[in-house]
Amino acid sequence: MSERRTVALVTLGCARNEVDSEELAGRLEADGWDLVEDAADADVAVVNTCGFVDAAKKDSVDALLEANDLKDHGRTQAVVAVGCMAERYGKDLAEALPEADGVLGFDDYADISDRLQTILSGGIHAAHTPRDRRKLLPISPAERQESAADVALPGHAPVDLPDGLAPASGPRAPLRRRLDGTPVASVKLASGCDRRCSFCAIPSFRGSFISRRPSDVLNETRWLAEQGVKEIMLVSENNTSYGKDLGDIRLLESLLPELAEVDGIERVRVSYLQPAEMRPGLIDVLTSTPKVAPYFDLSFQHSAPDVLRAMRRFGDTDRFLELLDTIRSKAPQAGVRSNFIVGFPGETEADLAELERFLNHARLDAIGVFGYSDEDGTEAATYDNKLDEDVVAERLARVSRLAEELVSQRSEERVGESVYVLVESVDSEDSADGAHGRGAHQAPETDGQVLLTSSEGLSVGRMVEAKVVGTEGVDLVAEPLLGTLACSEEADR
């Protein structure tokens, strides 16, 4: 019997990419590949790249080059690029980076096993020619679902599959294989985006917005719960648009309570919310549903009206603050995070001061700040009134310092609060050591964490109530309240 083929998946970028990697893993395992954690132990290293901004693209190239170096020292025979950067640049990336033995687009995912076998055998699979994926689906959202079966949508694989096409777990098993043992997993709610922000290229290579069927989201959540997952995070490019192509823009409001009732799930979190699309009913569900985290990942990007209009976005400082006041009137402990771009073309000192005014009043739990840079194919790249790079760098440093100070202050405001912490790691069997986890206001990777002062009686995946007794920057230090286990209506409120 021939030796089984081995493959390692290296994932960069956002939680959406993590879901895509686990779908690729499910497809490969179902076709007889052995999955290994370390690329050095794999016949093929598959790098799931990010193509969002320059820094992410650089990280992707570095990861591909690092994997390529393994071909001289270990088992690795081939390095393959997949993901957003591969989809966005296709053959151009293949020509610029000959170290990659293959550059595969989203259309290759369904045949990923055959593609890797061809490359591993010394064959060549031609890199695709990039195209605007928005043109693959009808302009009208109401007509998209009928066409979806003919378009590659990573993370949208059907959930009810014939036997043998997924890890054994009954009829609900999705085409997905978990790549880590953490108690948290992301679930694709939708893909693509219909917004036309002038700085963003994502819609061009992720396509138009299309929702997953609620039954697929529910069944995948049930399967994840069977795998020991305690928290799911719903991800897409824009969760507030969920259901518009299914005939019900309020579909998320009805889906969330159903997800929260899945046996074994202790917390449901929603990410990627558009401020301009927030509606009273969605705020009510996010702030009052048991086990649904009152967490608001709001994509503000800026708060100066002139900059927002140049970005093809809506709102201003006062309207954004009113939105936050509405949220906190319903859930005072609600978590809020956002990202901001500084140095956008035409941004004045007065615009920057307006952004600083918003940040000083918003009381955000986590703040990401990015300096503007041109992205290929975007409207903003054609603007004439660009700022000098040194001005952008200075503004980035200035707002980043302010952000760091403000999130630390917001953490200090939480001293004395009770938080429900999902334990994600236990440092030692010695109960004198602590454990780490996250509260309802903290999403994985992007936000802070809770440092528990004792690990006595704790295990990974347990939800425990704790009292915040201190802070370390954006992180909270909390003392577990013995005998508490959050799995009721009080959790996350």
Side-chain angles (χ1 to χ4, degrees):
M1 182 175 179
S2 61
E3 186 176 4
R4 287 171 64 90
R5 302 158 296 178
T6 56
V7 60
L9 286 130
V10 179
T11 306
L12 294 92
C14 65
R16 300 186 295 273
N17 258 16
E18 293 172 5
V19 176
D20 295 350
S21 285
E22 293 196 349
E23 180 188 312
L24 291 173
R27 291 183 181 278
L28 290 166
E29 187 173 67
D31 203 42
W33 291 74
D34 283 338
L35 299 165
V36 296
E37 292 186 13
D38 193 339
D41 297 328
D43 296 321
V44 184
V46 177
V47 180
N48 193 347
T49 61
C50 178
F52 182 39
V53 293
D54 285 344
K57 286 182 279 191
K58 182 181 182 303
D59 288 344
S60 295
V61 170
D62 289 346
L64 287 164
L65 293 175
E66 182 178 343
N68 183 69
D69 289 342
L70 296 174
K71 291 191 288 188
D72 296 328
H73 306 292
R75 173 171 180 160
T76 307
Q77 301 173 50
V79 175
V80 175
V82 298
C84 290
M85 189 176 179
E87 174 64 37
R88 184 176 180 184
Y89 295 106
K91 64 180 183 179
D92 290 339
L93 176 62
E95 293 171 0
L97 196 69
E99 290 85 354
D101 299 288
V103 175
L104 305 181
F106 298 151
D107 293 336
D108 292 307
Y109 282 21
D111 300 309
I112 185 67
S113 179
D114 289 343
R115 300 288 186 264
L116 297 190
Q117 186 58 57
T118 295
I119 294 168
L120 190 59
S121 301
I124 297 175
H125 179 73
H128 72 287
T129 299
R131 53 181 172 169
D132 188 339
R133 295 190 72 86
R134 290 171 292 192
K135 298 178 180 179
L136 302 182
L137 291 169
I139 294 176
S140 170
E143 299 175 1
R144 290 177 188 165
Q145 289 290 329
E146 293 182 3
S147 304
D150 300 323
V151 177
L153 297 168
H156 285 235
V159 172
D160 292 311
L161 298 163
D163 292 340
L165 288 181
S169 181
R172 293 192 298 268
L175 192 56
R176 177 173 181 172
R177 197 268 203 186
R178 296 219 66 207
L179 293 174
D180 60 47
T182 66
V184 184
S186 296
V187 175
K188 277 277 185 81
L189 192 63
S191 288
C193 185
D194 288 341
R195 301 185 71 87
R196 294 296 180 262
C197 300
S198 63
F199 56 84
C200 184
I202 290 176
S204 66
F205 58 86
R206 277 289 184 179
S208 298
F209 183 90
I210 187 162
S211 305
R212 290 184 76 194
R213 297 278 178 181
S215 57
D216 280 347
V217 178
L218 270 167
N219 284 338
E220 186 164 333
T221 298
R222 294 185 181 114
W223 178 81
L224 288 167
E226 291 174 355
Q227 311 306 305
V229 169
K230 299 299 181 182
E231 175 180 325
I232 63 162
M233 183 167 72
L234 300 178
V235 299
S236 76
E237 280 73 21
N238 178 9
N239 282 330
T240 35
S241 284
Y242 180 68
K244 73 176 186 178
D245 53 322
L246 294 171
D248 186 1
I249 190 60
R250 295 175 176 80
L251 194 55
L252 184 56
E253 285 93 309
S254 59
L255 177 61
L256 284 171
E258 294 185 71
L259 292 171
E261 291 176 0
V262 171
D263 288 343
I265 295 298
E266 298 292 345
R267 180 182 289 158
V268 178
R269 184 184 304 278
V270 184
S271 62
Y272 306 114
L273 302 170
Q274 285 290 341
E277 297 180 24
M278 291 300 296
R279 46 196 179 269
L282 180 55
I283 295 174
D284 287 343
V285 170
L286 287 170
T287 55
S288 65
T289 307
K291 295 188 180 180
V292 173
Y295 176 80
F296 294 81
D297 177 10
L298 294 163
S299 177
F300 289 122
Q301 301 299 343
H302 213 283
S303 72
D306 289 345
V307 175
L308 286 168
R309 301 308 171 267
M311 289 179 169
R312 304 292 185 195
R313 296 178 67 84
F314 306 94
D316 56 46
T317 294
D318 293 334
R319 276 188 277 185
F320 290 164
L321 291 176
E322 287 175 5
L323 172 60
L324 296 179
D325 286 344
T326 298
I327 291 168
R328 289 174 175 139
S329 70
K330 298 175 181 295
Q333 293 186 1
V336 186
R337 81 167 321 277
S338 191
N339 293 323
F340 300 89
I341 298 173
V342 297
F344 193 79
E347 181 189 64
T348 66
E349 277 290 341
D351 293 329
L352 193 66
E354 184 68 1
L355 173 58
E356 291 173 326
R357 180 172 81 89
F358 171 70
L359 292 173
N360 276 301
H361 287 86
R363 298 170 57 229
L364 302 178
D365 292 279
I367 301 171
V369 187
F370 301 88
Y372 172 81
S373 62
D374 286 339
E375 282 298 313
D376 299 334
T378 61
E379 180 184 353
T382 69
Y383 290 174
D384 294 328
N385 51 350
K386 295 188 177 71
L387 305 184
D388 291 340
E389 289 184 5
D390 58 343
V391 173
V392 175
E394 186 278 327
R395 292 184 179 183
L396 174 60
R398 169 177 156 184
V399 178
S400 296
R401 287 193 298 270
L402 174 63
E404 184 176 357
E405 177 183 344
L406 291 173
V407 295
S408 294
Q409 291 176 5
R410 179 68 182 118
S411 293
E412 290 170 2
E413 291 179 15
R414 292 190 179 274
V415 173
E417 289 183 0
S418 289
V419 292
Y420 288 90
V421 181
L422 177 63
V423 179
E424 294 185 331
S425 68
V426 178
D427 291 342
S428 170
E429 294 181 1
D430 182 353
S431 62
D433 289 339
H436 298 75
R438 290 175 300 100
H441 69 287
Q442 297 166 318
E445 305 297 335
T446 58
D447 304 338
Q449 60 183 347
V450 179
L451 314 175
L452 295 166
T453 58
S454 172
S455 62
E456 182 178 1
L458 300 183
S459 59
V460 172
R462 180 175 179 180
M463 190 80 79
V464 62
E465 185 180 11
K467 182 177 181 179
V468 181
V469 295
T471 65
E472 293 184 7
V474 70
D475 297 330
L476 303 181
V477 179
E479 179 180 314
L481 301 178
L482 297 180
T484 63
L485 183 63
C487 56
S488 66
E489 293 186 4
E490 297 179 355
D492 294 337
R493 299 272 68 80

